[in-house]
Amino acid sequence: MKFGTKTIHAGIKADPSTGAIMTPIFQTSTYVQAAPGDHKGYEYSRTHNPTRDALQANLATLENGKHALCFSSGMAAIDTVIRSFAPNDEVISTNDLYGGSYRIFTKVHQLNSGINFKFIPMQDLSSIEEAITPKTKLIWVETPTNPLMNIIDIKGIVDIAKKHNIKVAVDNTFASPFLQRPLELGADIVIHSITKYIAGHSDVIMGAVILNDDSWAEKLAFLQNSCGAVPGPQDCFLTLRGIKTLHLRMKAHCENGSKIAQFLVNHPKVENVYWPGLESHPNHQIAKDQMDDFGGMLSFTLKDDAIEKAFELMSSLKIFSLAESLGGVESLCGHPASMTHASIPKEEREKAGLRDTLIRLSVGIEDADDLIEDLSVALDKV
C-alpha cells in the first residue's frame, strides 16, 4: 500500500462483533477468562488492550517496521529504550536535542542508572568515530534536530555503528514517518513523541518505539508491562483517528513551512532562518537525500539580537500561539531557551548554537497568507 492508504487501513480491521469500521475504545481494565489461563488473548489492559494493539500495528506499518509499542508519553518511550541498557554502558547523543531528552539522559539515567552519555555535534561524522569507545552501545540521533533544524546523515551513522556493533536510535518526531523512515536507512529503532505530528491535534500525550529486532522488542515489551507507562484506550483511539489524515496534514505543513521560511529569509529584520528546505542550509543535500520533504518546523533569530525584541515579537503574534509542543494543526511559536530547552544548562545550549534569542515555529495548516500577515505585523512592532 502507498503511505496515504496505510494511514487509513494498516493494522485496522472492522470490529468482528458489530462490523464497526472505527476501532472501538476498549475501556476496560480486565477481561473475563473461561478458566485460569483460558482467555481470548487479553488478561489485563496494562499488558494488552485491543485499541492499543490496533494502533501499534498501524504505527509499525507506517515506519515499515515489525514491532511497535506505545507509551504514555514520548518521555516514557525514551525512558524504556534507555532502560534496556546496563550500568556502565555508553550512549553517544547529538548535542542539539530536545531538552527533555537531555534531562532524562543526564539527571535520571546517568545519575541513577550508571549509563554514561556523550553529547557531540553529529553533522561531522568523523566526530562520531572519535567518540566511540568499547563501552559505546547506542548512538542517539535526532534529525531534524530540536530546535536548530540540523540534519544528521542517518545512513552515514549506521555505517559507522555497524562497524562497531553499536545500535542506532533515531528520534523521528520532527519528520514523522511521512517524511522520513529511519528503519529503511538501517537504524535499529525509531522513537516518536506521538503527541506531535502523528496524533496531530494537540489533544493526546503519547510516545512510541518501532523496531524490527525480535529480542529487543521482547525486552521492551517486558519493560512496558513491568513499568506500566502505557497509554489509555481513549488516547489510542484519538491517535488512530488523527493518523488517518497524517499524509494530508503533512503536505500542508510542508507547503506552509516553505512559504514561511521564504518570507523570513527575505525580511529585513530577520538574521538567520533554520529550515532544511533552504538551499543555504548546510545540510540541505542530506535532507533532500533522506527526507521526502522538509516539514513545518523552523527557527529564526532577529538582527536586533536583544532578548526583549524576541519576547516582544512572540507576544505580538495572534494566530501563532505562544505555547510549548509542536506538530498540531494550529501554528505555535516558542522560546526554546526558557521553554522546551530550559533544562539544558545555558553554557551547553550555547555550545550547541542555541542562543537565548532563538524563536521556534511549528507551522500549522492554516492559510499561509494569514500566517505570513501575522508574522509581518509582529515584525513591524520590533
Side-chain angles (χ1 to χ4, degrees), residues 186-207:
D188 296 286
I189 193 166
V190 174
I191 298 92
H192 281 284
S193 173
I194 296 297
T195 309
K196 313 305 193 295
Y197 283 112
I198 290 181
H201 292 79
S202 302
D203 55 5
V204 165
I205 299 289
M206 193 187 298

Side-chain angles (χ1 to χ4, degrees), residues 72-339:
S72 54
S73 68
M75 294 314 305
I78 293 171
D79 179 58
T80 304
V81 172
I82 301 302
R83 281 178 187 269
S84 67
F85 292 89
N88 295 316
D89 283 348
E90 187 176 80
V91 178
I92 298 173
S93 167
T94 180
N95 67 338
D96 175 24
L97 78 166
Y98 170 51
S101 302
Y102 181 92
R103 180 177 56 224
I104 200 170
F105 289 168
T106 58
K107 299 296 178 64
V108 178
H109 286 289
Q110 187 158 288
L111 193 63
N112 300 317
S113 306
I115 299 171
N116 298 309
F117 293 84
K118 291 180 180 177
F119 299 93
I120 63 172
M122 289 188 175
Q123 298 90 291
D124 179 7
L125 295 180
S126 64
S127 66
I128 298 167
E129 289 273 16
E130 294 168 3
I132 290 173
T133 73
K135 293 183 177 181
T136 305
K137 297 294 190 274
L138 179 70
I139 298 176
W140 185 274
V141 177
E142 258 190 33
T143 183
T145 63
N146 181 2
L148 291 171
M149 304 305 298
N150 288 308
I151 302 297
I152 296 169
D153 183 353
I154 297 172
K155 183 67 167 60
I157 298 275
V158 167
D159 290 343
I160 292 169
K162 284 185 175 178
K163 289 192 299 183
H164 299 275
N165 196 29
I166 297 169
K167 300 288 189 183
V168 175
V170 178
D171 186 330
N172 201 30
T173 298
F174 266 31
S176 88
F178 179 76
L179 300 181
Q180 179 175 268
R181 291 161 299 282
L183 297 180
E184 294 179 358
L185 299 171
D188 296 286
I189 193 166
V190 174
I191 298 92
H192 281 284
S193 173
I194 296 297
T195 309
K196 313 305 193 295
Y197 283 112
I198 290 181
H201 292 79
S202 302
D203 55 5
V204 165
I205 299 289
M206 193 187 298
V209 298
I210 302 100
L211 69 167
N212 288 314
D213 185 296
D214 293 340
S215 61
W216 199 3
E218 184 178 353
K219 187 173 187 177
L220 292 172
F222 172 81
L223 290 168
Q224 179 195 44
N225 182 51
S226 299
C227 298
V230 295
Q234 173 78 22
D235 284 349
C236 292
F237 172 86
L238 289 171
T239 300
L240 279 167
R241 185 176 67 170
I243 287 173
K244 291 181 185 295
T245 57
L246 176 62
H247 56 304
L248 303 176
R249 290 186 282 107
M250 290 307 299
K251 289 175 183 176
H253 286 299
C254 292
E255 182 179 344
N256 283 357
S258 177
K259 291 178 179 178
I260 297 297
Q262 294 296 336
F263 165 76
L264 291 172
V265 163
N266 293 314
H267 198 282
K269 291 187 178 180
V270 173
E271 181 184 20
N272 295 309
V273 179
Y274 303 93
W275 185 66
L278 295 171
E279 291 186 6
S280 59
H281 191 287
N283 318 126
H284 175 68
Q285 188 57 50
I286 296 172
K288 283 184 68 176
D289 292 342
Q290 73 183 23
M291 298 176 71
D292 294 330
D293 208 326
F294 304 108
M297 294 300 302
L298 60 91
S299 299
F300 69 100
T301 56
L302 300 173
K303 286 182 179 176
D304 187 337
D305 201 36
I307 194 167
E308 294 80 10
K309 293 292 185 181
F311 280 18
E312 184 181 354
L313 185 146
M314 289 184 282
S315 297
S316 298
L317 293 166
K318 303 301 182 185
I319 298 177
F320 283 88
S321 297
L322 180 59
E324 295 195 8
S325 199
L326 59 105
V329 292
E330 62 286 306
S331 293
L332 303 178
C333 75
H335 180 242
S338 67
M339 297 167 76

